[in-house]
Amino acid sequence: MTTDPFRAASVSATVEVTGPRPSLDYYLVLAQHGDRDPTADPDGIVVEEFTRHHDHSTTGLDSAGWTPASGWWSSAALSRGIRTDPDALARVVPTWRREAESVYRTLGGGHLPDETTLRTYFRDHQPIASAPPLRLGPAQPPAGFHERRVYRVLFAKDLRVDQVTSLRAAWQTPAEGSGASVASGHLDRDGDRFTWDLRRVGHTLAWCLDVTVLLRTATARAVGPTLSDLTNVLRRHGLIPVTTERFS
């Protein structure tokens, strides 16, 4: 009998999280068999949160799932499965807290706990290996900036043609494109400059968002929110974030 990856056993673990905490990521879980349409009635929810280094690269992932029959459970296998197992990947749809609250109530859970309480259900941390930043591109930033960073955010699942078109319009991607990039954009934020390119990677359903950061400010305060905003845009288009790596 195949084990349902959304009902894996939990193992206790303690993880220290520092710094300000953004909102959790929410996902709907569709039925195990039958219709995989995102509009189909879900039978559970998943809540997640990445842990990160001070430079915003990923160190690990916490998750908890809930179904009416099983209640809340936590497992590192849950985090891995919804990114690597084809059946699990097909069953997970990114969503937002308001919709998760509605689904939780409809399925008989009552009022969805606040995010402080939800974090207490994270009992099995999934470490994500990281390494010191590699140099990708020129070592020196251009004039007027004191530091250059390159981040890569990896995503699972696929994008439809209409979703790519939507991204290109939202990011005002030039019609001629840029090499293998299917969508790109740029932003000046608090004096810092961000440019990014979305590309398909590997031979499976995977995408990466390469973000180049040119820092003019001393605090780099805009880096975390900008990476989070870009990641959430792609979540809205159906992709599931896997990790954020830093290359320089």
Side-chain angles (χ1 to χ4, degrees):
M1 181 176 72
T2 301
T3 300
D4 182 352
F6 292 103
R7 291 172 174 80
S10 63
V11 179
S12 296
T14 301
V15 181
E16 181 180 359
V17 180
T18 60
R21 285 179 157 177
S23 298
L24 300 175
D25 292 337
Y26 296 86
Y27 298 89
L28 302 183
V29 182
L30 307 183
Q32 187 171 8
H33 302 290
D35 190 2
R36 298 295 176 78
D37 190 311
T39 62
D41 291 336
D43 65 5
I45 64 174
V46 170
V47 183
E48 291 190 335
E49 182 174 48
F50 285 99
T51 56
R52 303 182 185 277
H53 288 296
H54 70 279
D55 67 354
H56 311 292
S57 59
T58 301
T59 62
L61 179 60
D62 291 306
S63 65
W66 179 88
T67 59
S70 303
W72 288 100
W73 76 95
S74 178
S75 169
L78 174 66
S79 300
R80 293 192 300 269
I82 65 176
R83 289 161 173 83
T84 59
D85 179 82
D87 183 71
L89 191 60
R91 294 171 59 196
V92 173
V93 180
T95 190
W96 310 99
R97 181 174 173 91
R98 181 173 296 180
E99 187 173 4
E101 289 174 331
S102 177
V103 168
Y104 191 73
R105 184 169 54 251
T106 299
L107 294 177
H111 179 70
L112 183 67
D114 61 35
E115 296 199 335
T116 298
T117 302
L118 289 175
R119 288 184 174 96
T120 67
Y121 303 147
F122 296 156
R123 303 185 184 96
D124 188 17
H125 182 65
Q126 171 62 51
I128 297 177
S130 60
L134 300 174
R135 178 62 57 188
L136 185 64
Q140 296 301 319
F145 300 93
H146 68 85
E147 185 179 354
R148 179 183 184 274
R149 298 184 185 181
V150 177
Y151 291 90
R152 171 167 289 178
V153 188
L154 295 174
F155 296 88
K157 298 198 80 163
D158 203 4
L159 291 170
R160 302 188 306 269
V161 173
D162 63 298
Q163 291 172 321
V164 173
T165 300
S166 174
L167 283 168
R168 290 177 61 86
W171 289 343
Q172 300 181 346
T173 302
E176 63 273 12
S178 175
S181 173
V182 300
S184 61
H186 60 89
L187 172 71
D188 287 334
R189 196 171 198 174
D190 298 335
D192 300 328
R193 183 170 299 167
F194 300 82
T195 58
W196 58 88
D197 293 278
L198 180 69
R199 299 177 174 87
R200 186 186 293 277
V201 292
H203 301 290
T204 58
L205 302 183
W207 294 80
C208 74
L209 183 72
D210 289 337
V211 183
T212 299
V213 183
L214 298 177
L215 295 176
R216 193 189 307 272
T217 62
T219 62
R221 187 173 299 163
V223 175
T226 302
L227 290 173
S228 178
D229 289 348
L230 291 170
T231 299
N232 282 331
V233 166
L234 291 171
R235 285 188 74 253
R236 289 190 191 97
H237 286 75
L239 296 184
I240 297 178
V242 176
T243 188
T244 300
E245 303 171 313
R246 182 179 169 189
F247 288 96
S248 63

